[in-house]
């Protein structure tokens, strides 16, 4: 066997495992084993770049993929579904279908209504060639390069009967647990959080840099064939089976029904299942199963007559507010939190809900002691929808934001034009310090898992640690004073601190806790700056010229780096032996736009203004207003 045969075999093996994992949901190997296969392919490609083809597994993110999105006409319009909200409305739909079909033994395909982003994928002679978003239904954005990074989208179809042309439609989504993890990181970085997995998926699909999209855990579930040569299967059920045989991921829990009662039973079963599904759904879809009957029924304006959605209500519960407490964030923001009588909602016990800010509390007139309706719509963090005034007890208490920080007693600060109230005691508010340190040691930052919250609290209480840099100068004598710390614990702690000293630049930047700088932004900064020193030299204009960085982040980074206290802290970290690894910078040198500044005026015909600005920035140019 030649090494080319080995290479081909490995590529095939990886494709097979992608299918087992994403399509069949039956992985045969561990993630580590998968990564090992991948590394072998990469190693062979490093020696034989001539073997690399667009469909080799390493090419999901090509080096020179263009970005900015072209708008492309859909082969067939992407329509939407009419909604129903009750059994009666489903019955009305069935009655209409039966009347139009002229017989009452219509078979229905019932499916999950995925709460994601609709896309259309095109395959020609078995190769993935294009992905479009729904757009306005007639024309969508060409997101091919981003879609290529989604591992559940095969770049090449499987099987014997590969169609010449196949255009399939489905929904791109972010699994709930991945969404929660990413959102927790964003919260930690005080970046804007996504409201729900759908927003996260939408944002991820529209990133300009496919390399960034590749890091977002997106998946796809397909539910229909829009175009196919030769002829497509003649039923919705047949379509699912056929798409699956080509290695394409389809919907889970598809079923056939023959009556309203059967459909209602299915809807109830799925609604009960909803909290335990790994992704968000917002209802079910009922479709006439026969494709020829679908064709006969046709469309009204923008909805098919042969299908309808049944939407579940947002999951709500009634509970009581026991207290309203105030949470102190890493940068001192004070957030009111409702402490609730624990109640079951959407599969989990809810004991707290964020009230966002004092304006929100006043607007909804939320008082301590009130009975309230809480809801978990698409959103992960439950919210208080409204108060039940008829249940308000006589002794309910109006809440106001305390005048001093609950953690350190410093008078709070209100910043003009902002709703947020802050504790200005950055230096010595113990809770701010604890939040900063927790962030600093967290998994995607310095990743020092020996420093749990309990230990950090003790280190702060004993006055050993006043900033992150102090962690690296802790002495054994100090560590022996911590609860339960004997020889082993002390030596483990010192070892793990030592190991943490050598750190990727992007992680170090994330760990610093600059406002709005999450892992993704930290990486962009690291790529551009190369070193800590390089970063401190970047001006606001340099920062804003980085694709993916906007005004808010550029201002926050400039302010942070210009603050003498932060400069001193960075220096102390470096002096304590922390070594952020240098990176090769992504320089724009040699590019025609380098050093040039552009002003966009008038009407642009080929691009939107935002797209044009992005394209210029990517080529090293600057854009000003
Ligand atoms: S069929 C012509 N099936 O819901 C009808 N849509 O308003 C084509 N959706 O835009 C849609 N799950 O984004 C269909 N099983 C499913 C679906 C589904 C989610 C979305 C889709 C569509 C919207 C309908």
């Amino acid at each position: 066997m030649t090494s080319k045969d080995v290479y081909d075999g490995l590529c095939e093996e990886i494709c097979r495992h992608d299918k087992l994992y994403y399509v069949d949901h039956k992985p045969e190997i561990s993630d580590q084993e998968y990564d090992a296969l991948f590394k072998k392919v990469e190693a062979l490609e490093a020696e034989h770049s001539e073997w690399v083809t667009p469909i080799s597994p390493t090419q999901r993110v090509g080096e020179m993929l263009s970005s900015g999105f072209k708008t492309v006409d859909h082969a067939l319009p992407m329509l939407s579904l009419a909604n129903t909200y009750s059994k009666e409305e489903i019955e009305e739909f069935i009655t209409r279908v039966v009347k139009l079909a002229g017989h009452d033994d219509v078979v229905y395909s019932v499916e999950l209504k995925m709460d994601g982003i609709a896309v259309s994928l095109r395959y020609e002679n078995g190769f993935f060639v294009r992905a479009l978003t729904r757009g306005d239904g007639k024309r969508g954005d060409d997101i091919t390069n981003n879609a290529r990074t989604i591992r559940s989208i095969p770049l090449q179809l499987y099987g014997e009967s590969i169609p010449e042309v196949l255009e399939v439609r489905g929904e791109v989504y972010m699994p709930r647990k991945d969404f929660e993890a990413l959102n927790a990181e964003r919260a930690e970085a005080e970046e804007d959080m996504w409201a729900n997995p759908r927003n996260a998926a939408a944002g991820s699909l529209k990133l300009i840099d496919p390399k960034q999209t590749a890091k977002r855990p997106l998946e796809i579930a397909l539910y229909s064939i829009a175009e196919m040569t030769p002829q497509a299967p003649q039923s919705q059920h047949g379509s699912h089976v056929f798409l699956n045989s080509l290695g394409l991921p389809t919907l889970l829990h598809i079923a056939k029904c023959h009556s309203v009662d059967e459909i209602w039973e299915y809807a109830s079963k799925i609604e009960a299942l909803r909290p335990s599904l790994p992704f968000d759904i917002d209802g079910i879809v009922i479709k006439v199963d026969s494709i020829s009957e679908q064709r006969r029924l046709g469309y009204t304006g923008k909805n098919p007559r042969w299908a309808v959605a049944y939407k579940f209500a947002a999951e709500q519960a009634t509970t009581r507010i026991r207290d309203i407490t105030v949470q102190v964030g890493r940068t001192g923001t004070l957030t009111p939190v409702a402490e609730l009588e624990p109640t079951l909602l959407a599969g989990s016990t809810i004991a707290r809900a964020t009230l966002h800010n004092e304006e929100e509390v006043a607007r909804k007139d939320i008082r301590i002691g009130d009975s309230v309706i809480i809801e978990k719509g698409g959103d992960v963090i439950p919210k208080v929808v409204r108060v039940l005034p008829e249940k308000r007890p006589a002794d309910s208490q109006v809440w106001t934001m305390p005048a001093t920080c609950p953690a350190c007693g410093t008078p709070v600060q209100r910043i003009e034009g902002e709703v947020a109230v802050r504790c200005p005691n950055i230096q010595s508010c113990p809770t701010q310090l604890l939040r900063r340190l927790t962030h600093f040691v967290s998994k995607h930052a310095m990743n020092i898992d020996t420093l749990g919250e309990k230990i950090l609290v003790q280190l702060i209480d004993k006055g050993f640690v006043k900033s992150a840099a102090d962690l690296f100068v802790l002495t054994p004598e100090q560590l022996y004073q911590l609860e339960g710390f004997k020889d082993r614990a002390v030596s483990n702690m010192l070892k793990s601190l030592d190991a943490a000293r050598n750190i990727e630049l992007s992680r170090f930047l994330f760990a610093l806790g600059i406002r709005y700088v999450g892992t993704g932004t930290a990486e962009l900064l690291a790529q551009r700056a190369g070193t800590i020193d390089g970063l401190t030299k970047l001006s606001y204009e340099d920062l804003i010229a980085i694709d993916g960085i906007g005004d808010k982040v550029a201002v926050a980074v400039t302010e942070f780096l210009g603050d003498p206290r932060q400069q001193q802290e960075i220096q102390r970290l470096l002096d304590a032996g922390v070594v952020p690894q240098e990176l090769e910078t992504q320089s724009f040198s040699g590019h025609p736009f380098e050093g040039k500044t552009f002003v966009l005026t008038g009407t642009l015909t080929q691009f939107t203004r935002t797209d044009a600005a992005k394209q210029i920035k990517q080529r090293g140019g600057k854009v000003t207003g």
Side-chain angles (χ1 to χ4, degrees):
M1 203 159 55
T2 65
S3 51
K4 174 73 164 82
D5 294 333
V6 173
Y7 172 77
D8 288 342
L10 284 166
C11 290
E12 237 169 71
E13 186 74 2
I14 289 178
C15 284
R16 192 172 74 86
H17 289 299
D18 279 341
K19 178 171 182 296
L20 283 167
Y21 187 92
Y22 290 108
V23 182
D24 307 335
H25 305 288
K26 284 185 194 127
E28 283 177 3
I29 57 174
S30 68
D31 290 359
Q32 285 88 328
E33 286 168 305
Y34 180 92
D35 291 342
L37 287 174
F38 210 91
K39 289 221 171 76
K40 280 189 200 160
V41 167
E42 282 178 329
L44 285 168
E45 288 183 352
E47 280 171 39
H48 299 279
S49 57
E50 72 279 10
W51 293 349
V52 184
T53 71
I55 60 156
S56 67
T58 55
Q59 296 306 298
R60 287 194 175 263
V61 190
E63 267 314 301
M64 287 306 294
L65 292 180
S66 70
S67 45
F69 305 107
K70 276 199 313 257
T71 317
V72 178
D73 285 347
H74 287 297
L76 271 174
M78 284 181 83
L79 302 169
S80 57
L81 297 166
N83 291 324
T84 61
Y85 296 94
S86 64
K87 189 175 175 187
E88 287 67 42
E89 285 179 353
I90 298 177
E91 197 154 16
E92 285 166 21
F93 164 75
I94 302 287
T95 311
R96 271 196 310 275
V97 168
V98 165
K99 199 168 149 204
L100 289 166
H103 64 99
D104 64 2
D105 48 4
V106 181
V107 179
Y108 301 91
S109 169
V110 285
E111 314 175 341
L112 303 185
K113 186 168 188 311
M114 303 294 295
D115 197 6
I117 302 301
V119 295
S120 199
L121 307 180
R122 193 174 177 86
Y123 286 86
E124 287 174 4
N125 299 312
F127 291 100
F128 171 62
V129 294
R130 199 172 65 198
L132 299 178
T133 61
R134 193 175 112 96
D136 63 3
K138 291 197 187 76
R139 322 171 64 199
D141 282 336
D142 185 332
I143 50 152
T144 310
N145 291 333
N146 284 349
R148 285 174 64 86
T149 69
I150 301 175
R151 292 240 296 268
S152 55
I153 297 180
L155 300 177
Q156 189 180 12
L157 298 176
Y158 276 80
E160 303 299 312
S161 46
I162 297 209
E164 273 165 52
V165 174
L166 177 71
E167 185 138 343
V168 282
R169 289 182 177 167
E171 208 87 347
V172 170
Y173 63 94
M174 189 180 282
R176 219 180 286 162
K177 71 168 178 5
D178 296 306
F179 162 75
E180 279 166 22
L182 278 178
N183 229 9
E185 273 173 34
R186 290 171 86 93
E188 196 51 65
E190 301 204 359
E191 282 184 296
D192 290 340
M193 283 168 72
W194 289 305
N196 50 47
R198 181 165 38 76
N199 288 1
S204 305
L205 265 188
K206 287 299 196 71
L207 288 166
I208 292 294
D209 181 1
K211 286 201 203 73
Q212 298 300 323
T213 306
K215 291 184 192 149
R216 304 279 174 87
L218 296 175
E219 296 198 18
I220 194 167
L222 298 166
Y223 45 67
S224 72
I225 299 178
E227 193 189 336
M228 179 168 151
T229 346
Q231 215 197 14
Q234 282 310 292
S235 70
Q236 176 64 9
H237 251 79
S239 303
H240 266 79
V241 174
F242 178 67
L243 292 178
N244 236 248
S245 77
L246 297 175
L248 291 162
T250 50
L251 295 168
L252 299 174
H253 302 291
I254 178 167
K256 271 187 203 173
C257 289
H258 304 84
S259 66
V260 186
D261 288 333
E262 277 182 26
I263 294 172
W264 193 245
E265 200 180 311
Y266 174 83
S268 314
K269 191 184 91 188
I270 297 297
E271 194 160 6
L273 215 60
R274 186 184 187 191
S276 60
L277 290 172
F279 42 76
D280 276 2
I281 58 169
D282 57 348
I284 61 163
V285 181
I286 306 147
K287 297 176 181 169
V288 169
D289 190 49
S290 152
I291 304 288
S292 59
E293 233 157 21
Q294 286 186 5
R295 220 170 285 134
R296 270 204 302 281
L297 287 162
Y299 300 84
T300 64
K302 58 182 174 38
N303 302 134
R305 286 201 192 88
W306 46 265
V308 80
Y310 167 70
K311 301 257 274 190
F312 297 145
E315 293 159 281
Q316 291 190 334
T318 305
T319 184
R320 206 180 63 90
I321 297 187
R322 285 177 171 170
D323 196 4
I324 295 179
T325 56
V326 174
Q327 207 166 39
V328 184
R330 204 180 68 218
T331 55
T333 310
L334 304 186
T335 309
V337 175
E339 306 289 340
L340 306 167
E341 222 124 75
T343 179
L344 202 65
L345 175 65
S348 45
T349 303
I350 309 294
R352 306 181 87 202
T354 170
L355 297 173
H356 302 288
N357 52 55
E358 58 180 348
E359 266 182 20
E360 170 103 350
V361 179
R363 194 169 52 81
K364 291 185 174 161
D365 188 19
I366 299 170
R367 303 186 194 176
I368 300 167
D370 269 345
S371 288
V372 289
I373 292 179
I374 57 169
E375 180 176 290
K376 210 165 163 186
D379 304 358
V380 179
I381 305 170
K383 63 175 181 209
V384 173
V385 184
R386 64 184 179 93
V387 167
L388 296 170
E390 66 276 15
K391 289 200 179 166
R392 174 166 283 166
D395 60 352
S396 76
Q397 278 167 271
V398 174
W399 174 86
T400 49
M401 183 64 87
T404 56
C405 168
C408 69
T410 309
V412 302
Q413 221 172 43
R414 286 189 158 72
I415 296 165
E416 227 189 277
E418 277 186 34
V419 277
V421 172
R422 249 168 238 294
C423 161
N425 182 12
I426 302 170
Q427 287 285 302
S428 48
C429 173
T431 305
Q432 278 190 55
L433 177 58
L434 177 64
R435 298 263 173 272
R436 279 202 298 274
L437 293 178
T438 317
H439 170 77
F440 185 79
V441 302
S442 66
K443 187 156 161 240
H444 297 286
M446 302 297 282
N447 193 21
I448 313 176
D449 58 6
T450 42
L451 281 168
E453 185 159 319
K454 275 198 193 129
I455 296 178
L456 290 173
V457 168
Q458 290 185 62
L459 291 171
I460 295 171
D461 283 352
K462 294 191 187 300
F464 297 160
V465 173
K466 294 195 169 65
S467 82
D470 293 337
L471 294 171
F472 291 99
V473 291
L474 283 169
T475 62
E477 293 70 38
Q478 289 172 322
L479 291 174
Y480 276 113
Q481 293 181 44
L482 301 179
E483 220 176 280
F485 266 62
K486 303 228 165 64
D487 295 351
R488 238 203 38 226
V490 170
S491 109
N492 280 348
M493 178 67 75
L494 291 170
K495 259 192 228 142
S496 73
L497 282 164
D498 217 34
R501 283 187 161 92
N502 224 326
I503 184 81
E504 282 163 46
L505 179 61
S506 58
R507 280 172 170 271
F508 181 75
L509 295 181
F510 175 60
L512 289 178
I514 308 170
R515 271 182 106 188
Y516 312 125
V517 174
T519 47
T521 309
E523 218 150 294
L524 293 176
L525 291 171
Q527 276 169 9
R528 179 72 177 87
T531 56
I532 264 289
D533 214 33
L535 184 76
T536 52
K537 293 203 176 79
L538 294 181
S539 65
Y540 170 84
E541 282 73 24
D542 294 328
L543 290 166
I544 194 101
I546 301 173
D547 184 34
I549 289 189
D551 174 66
K552 201 165 82 171
V553 175
V555 169
V557 174
T558 322
E559 273 178 8
F560 187 94
L561 295 172
D563 181 342
R565 277 178 314 214
Q566 302 296 2
Q567 291 166 355
Q568 200 191 359
E569 170 71 1
I570 293 175
Q571 195 51 52
R572 288 189 60 223
L573 282 162
L574 300 178
D575 292 345
V578 175
V579 186
Q581 289 147 28
E582 294 191 7
L583 272 182
E584 252 178 64
T585 52
Q586 254 185 11
S587 84
F588 298 122
S589 70
H591 202 280
F593 288 0
E594 195 200 346
K596 297 208 166 88
T597 302
F598 292 74
V599 182
L600 300 171
T601 60
T603 317
L604 303 180
T605 54
Q606 308 281 328
F607 296 99
T608 65
R609 200 166 297 279
T610 323
D611 284 344
K614 278 177 182 154
Q615 298 277 348
I616 292 170
K617 283 185 187 180
Q618 279 173 355
R619 287 162 179 75
K622 284 175 193 166
V623 181
T624 60

